[in-house]
Amino acid sequence: MIGRSIKKLGGLVSVRRLDGTKPDGPVIVGNTLPDDMHAVSIGIDTSPSTLAAGAKKVIGEGTKKLVDTVGGHPLLSRQVELAVYGFGQSTPVKCYQSFTAVSRFEFRGVPDVSWTMLYSLYAQMVDDTLVHVNRLGSAHDCEVRASWIFIFSDFQAHDDEARDRALAAKEKATERGVNVFLMGCGEAVDMKTAEELSQRERPVVM
């Protein structure tokens, strides 16, 4: 299922020549500039429940497949910027790798933590993505064509106090065209929480 979600990124590629015009046929990547950018952020759950339910391996494999698939595409590797988020060890959420072009991106992993601040993670990823999209649009001569968020988790949230913030972020993401994919991992996925956070047109991926 994740392969199907990742494959959609391939249909968003667009390039222009150095003189600003778009080619009619096949292009040579070295002679083109990105006509638009795609911001992709990955949220990784490394809480104890993912270990107990066998989700940690699935999360690791899914994350690697996502990074390798995008990085292996000759055009997406230049047009996609990746960021990695997880739960912090002293803060609810931490950005472990800020938005970086895939061509320069090297996944360094996320440490294990003792809590699942899932609602906080969801909300912060949406907020940070929107800030980054606005920054790209104003600082560079390009359009941020699409934004993608992938969250790999069993969705066993432990931060109910942040639930309302996450639901507000869901509405904001939908209004602003941020595509959120929730990747249910392991044998104990909390489907109630996952479905509550999923966008109507993007059901939870198992």
Side-chain angles (χ1 to χ4, degrees):
M1 289 297 290
I2 182 176
R4 221 177 290 171
S5 300
I6 296 170
K7 189 176 181 181
K8 293 180 181 179
L9 285 168
L12 298 174
V13 175
S14 176
V15 298
R16 57 187 166 91
R17 295 192 183 93
L18 292 173
D19 62 5
T21 61
K22 289 188 178 182
D24 296 323
V27 298
I28 300 174
V29 175
N31 291 336
T32 62
L33 292 173
D35 189 45
D36 47 53
M37 296 294 295
H38 311 293
V40 177
S41 53
I42 305 169
I44 301 173
D45 181 350
T46 56
S47 62
S49 62
T50 63
L51 295 173
K56 185 174 182 179
K57 181 180 179 182
V58 177
I59 291 171
E61 292 173 347
T63 303
K64 184 178 185 304
K65 183 172 184 178
L66 174 59
V67 174
D68 289 349
T69 300
V70 176
H73 193 293
L75 295 180
L76 287 180
S77 64
R78 302 173 67 246
Q79 291 187 285
V80 171
E81 290 191 331
L82 282 177
V84 176
Y85 288 78
F87 308 128
Q89 295 175 309
S90 58
T91 57
V93 179
K94 181 175 179 179
C95 177
Y96 286 93
Q97 292 178 251
S98 57
F99 284 101
T100 304
V102 176
S103 56
R104 302 193 307 272
F105 183 87
E106 182 178 350
F107 181 60
R108 297 191 292 270
V110 173
D112 293 340
V113 295
S114 58
W115 53 20
T116 311
M117 300 301 190
L118 185 71
Y119 290 124
S120 299
L121 176 70
Y122 186 106
Q124 175 131 10
M125 289 181 71
V126 171
D127 289 345
D128 286 1
T129 294
L130 291 175
V131 168
H132 182 67
V133 164
N134 289 336
R135 184 181 298 125
L136 275 179
S138 61
H140 302 282
D141 182 22
C142 68
E143 178 182 357
V144 181
R145 184 74 59 173
S147 305
W148 305 69
I149 292 176
F150 292 84
I151 298 179
F152 295 86
S153 176
D154 57 11
F155 298 96
Q156 296 186 29
H158 294 163
D159 59 339
D160 289 344
E161 69 280 359
R163 177 176 174 272
D164 288 345
R165 181 186 168 208
L167 293 178
K170 170 187 170 181
E171 295 304 314
K172 197 187 315 182
T174 301
E175 291 171 3
R176 299 283 297 276
V178 177
N179 306 287
V180 182
F181 289 89
L182 304 183
M183 321 302 288
C185 302
E187 301 174 357
V189 176
D190 185 335
M191 288 302 296
K192 181 180 179 181
T193 299
E195 290 175 351
E196 178 181 51
L197 291 174
S198 66
Q199 295 172 317
R200 181 178 301 176
E201 63 276 24
R202 296 178 187 86
V204 180
V205 178
M206 298 292 292

